[in-house]
Amino acid sequence: MSCIFCMIVDGAIPSKKAYEDDEILAFHDINPQAPVHILVIPKVHIPSVDGVTAENSAVVARIFEKIPQIAAAAGLANGYRVISNCGPDACQTVPHLHFHILGGRALTEQMA
Ligand code: AMP
Ligand code: ZN
């Protein structure tokens, strides 16, 4: 298996977990770009937003159900940003669908 996030799901690579259930894992980014930087992923391998289909989109809905709880548990009462980079122009570096939760300070208005 070559997908680093699948290896994190399997426990082959350690992570600092923020949330886990049967379908979803959230863990702290190894190179945080804000005081709180958490990645939320489906346990099933989906390469990117481009790989979301009618067959697998339920887990994406579940991720968005859980994001407010994960953010609240991380202390992000004053707001946060959710980002998913898709493809080379967006600088996606890990080809396993993930949503960045960024917060813990006032973020810049610029998104790109
Ligand atoms: P992206 O550039 O949107 O594909 O985001 C990939 C993110 O994964 C980056 O923010 C990396 O810092 C993060 N990352 C890569 N490897 C690990 C790891 N082993 N544990 C936690 N975060 C990681
Ligand atoms: Zn994967």
Side-chain angles (χ1 to χ4, degrees):
M1 180 209 306
S2 60
C3 174
I4 189 169
F5 285 179
C6 283
M7 292 172 80
I8 286 175
V9 168
D10 287 350
I13 293 176
S15 66
K16 187 181 169 196
K17 292 179 184 176
Y19 175 79
E20 183 171 20
D21 63 27
D22 287 349
E23 294 181 279
I24 293 166
L25 178 63
F27 54 97
H28 293 266
D29 197 291
I30 203 167
N31 183 27
Q33 297 192 30
V36 175
H37 187 169
I38 294 171
L39 303 173
V40 191
I41 69 171
K43 289 190 168 181
V44 64
H45 182 87
I46 299 171
S48 72
V49 169
D50 273 347
V52 177
T53 66
E55 286 69 41
N56 66 21
S57 62
V59 72
V60 179
R62 289 265 296 116
I63 284 172
F64 275 84
E65 285 176 33
K66 291 296 172 188
I67 281 174
Q69 296 170 31
I70 295 165
L76 302 181
N78 209 40
Y80 54 92
R81 186 169 287 157
V82 180
I83 294 173
S84 190
N85 296 318
C86 180
D89 275 5
C91 304
Q92 182 182 4
T93 59
V94 178
H96 180 127
L97 180 65
H98 52 283
F99 297 91
H100 299 254
I101 301 174
L102 295 154
R105 63 166 163 77
L107 303 172
T108 65
E109 289 186 15
Q110 194 162 3
M111 284 191 285

